Amino acid sequence: MAVPKLLYFDFILMVSAFLRADGYYYSRWSQCIYSSRDLSDMVYIDSHAFNKAVFSEYNSTLGKYVGYTEYGVRNAEFWNNNTNLLQQEKADVDRFCKHNAELYLSSIHDKTVKPKIRLSSVKQAGGKHPAVLMCSAYEFYPEKIKVSWLRDGKEMTTDVTSTEELADGDWYYQIHSHLEYTPQTGEKISCMVEHASSTQPIITDWDPSFPEPERNKIAIGASGLVLGIIIAAAGLIYYKKKSTGRILVPH
Ligand SMILES: *[C@@H]1O[C@H](CO)[C@@H](O)[C@H](O)[C@H]1NC(C)=O
Ligand SMILES: *[C@@H]1O[C@H](CO)[C@@H](O)[C@H](O)[C@H]1NC(C)=O
């Protein structure tokens, strides 16, 4: 990742003249207004206000200041006479607005993180009750996502329940979708996730050969077996080493 660029801050003045407890204040507010991704419609508004009432305002579309009060109109005329100031304000469309907007867009608007998908069995089919599968998507961004279920590549719409997208609190989200179904031999059940982080739908097939608790038991059993074999082999080697060179004395 490239070294993060610093945001470029325009100076913001907040001059206060507190005459009473509730006070009077002068404020300056810089706004960068845009809606297109290529920033071509960027407008820079630089407002000067007294007690929240804007009296003079620079608008980059007009390329000059406009005044809204008697004082504001005189002020705008005065500033509009200053070509240096107008050039500086015009340059702020690129230097300040577009520069910062590009950083926001690339780090927030365009950010996508692919979900981690996990398929698990919640309930196995037995007797009359159907099986329940859960498809979980973890740690994705942004929030918008679609989780659906496929039976042999065709979408299943009945007996599907899904949680809302749940915020993890660290910008990432998770979601869980349940499918109730009656297993049939030879079918393929898949979970399909559509998200901005992937141009293709992310399809995960359910492997019904061993439901998860079974798989865990097998994994634990297998590890135990391997560990046992290693200990037995070590014991055998130790025994062999010890016993060679020892003379057996008959009683
Ligand atoms: C800036 O000026 C343009 C052109 O007159 C106008 O359409 C736009 O509304 C102004 N923007 C603001 C925020 O006043
Ligand atoms: C603007 O400049 C002109 C010519 O330099 C001058 O006559 C006029 O008084 C100026 N206006 C203001 C408001 O400073």
Side-chain angles (χ1 to χ4, degrees):
M1 211 181 113
V3 178
K5 283 191 211 148
L6 290 177
L7 291 177
Y8 196 102
F9 285 101
D10 203 10
F11 59 93
I12 291 173
L13 289 176
M14 195 61 105
V15 183
S16 309
F18 289 101
L19 300 180
R20 297 199 314 250
D22 50 352
Y24 297 106
Y25 61 93
Y26 161 79
S27 60
R28 184 172 168 190
W29 186 23
S30 299
Q31 297 171 75
C32 300
I33 304 168
Y34 59 103
S35 57
S36 79
R37 177 61 187 87
D38 65 4
L39 310 180
S40 57
D41 62 347
M42 181 68 77
V43 178
Y44 177 47
I45 306 290
D46 185 8
S47 313
H48 297 255
F50 183 70
N51 276 357
K52 294 190 184 173
V54 174
F55 59 89
S56 297
E57 190 169 78
Y58 175 82
N59 179 329
S60 68
T61 307
L62 300 170
K64 62 174 189 176
Y65 280 89
V66 284
Y68 296 115
T69 64
E70 193 187 341
Y71 169 70
V73 169
R74 266 199 297 139
N75 209 48
E77 272 172 19
F78 178 71
W79 282 337
N80 285 335
N81 248 6
N82 185 343
T83 45
N84 255 353
L85 179 66
L86 291 185
Q87 267 168 16
Q88 234 176 62
E89 293 279 31
K90 189 99 203 154
D92 271 347
V93 174
D94 290 326
R95 188 190 67 92
F96 170 56
C97 286
K98 290 192 182 176
H99 174 88
N100 284 353
E102 188 49 57
L103 292 179
Y104 292 134
L105 289 172
S106 61
S107 59
I108 299 170
H109 177 272
D110 300 345
K111 178 188 168 84
T112 60
V113 180
K114 214 171 174 167
K116 298 184 175 90
I117 313 290
R118 200 162 153 262
L119 262 178
S120 53
S121 163
V122 176
K123 210 192 277 172
Q124 281 180 263
K128 270 191 175 169
H129 68 79
V132 180
L133 287 183
M134 179 169 70
C135 180
S136 304
Y138 295 100
E139 285 172 49
F140 57 87
Y141 185 90
E143 185 178 358
K144 193 173 154 55
I145 198 165
K146 187 177 172 215
V147 181
S148 39
W149 292 90
L150 306 175
R151 173 178 254 155
D152 293 326
K154 261 192 266 156
E155 187 169 347
M156 304 165 80
T157 47
T158 51
D159 297 322
V160 173
T161 53
S162 187
T163 64
E164 300 278 299
E165 293 87 345
L166 307 166
D168 291 346
D170 56 0
W171 278 52
Y172 298 109
Y173 292 89
Q174 57 178 285
I175 192 169
H176 306 274
S177 177
H178 288 87
L179 170 75
E180 246 187 48
Y181 76 117
T182 310
Q184 288 160 14
T185 49
E187 71 184 350
K188 189 170 77 181
I189 302 290
S190 322
C191 170
M192 179 166 79
V193 175
E194 288 158 281
H195 188 249
S197 58
S198 172
T199 51
Q200 304 282 334
I202 307 162
I203 295 175
T204 312
D205 295 333
W206 170 241
D207 174 8
S209 52
F210 291 112
E212 200 169 350
E214 296 300 309
R215 247 195 318 242
N216 286 346
K217 273 182 221 158
I218 289 168
I220 293 167
S223 326
L225 181 64
V226 169
L227 199 65
I229 290 171
I230 291 170
I231 291 170
L236 192 65
I237 291 166
Y238 180 76
Y239 171 77
K240 282 267 184 192
K241 281 221 164 153
K242 274 270 194 185
S243 60
T244 51
R246 193 195 292 162
I247 299 148
L248 295 174
V249 181
H251 293 276

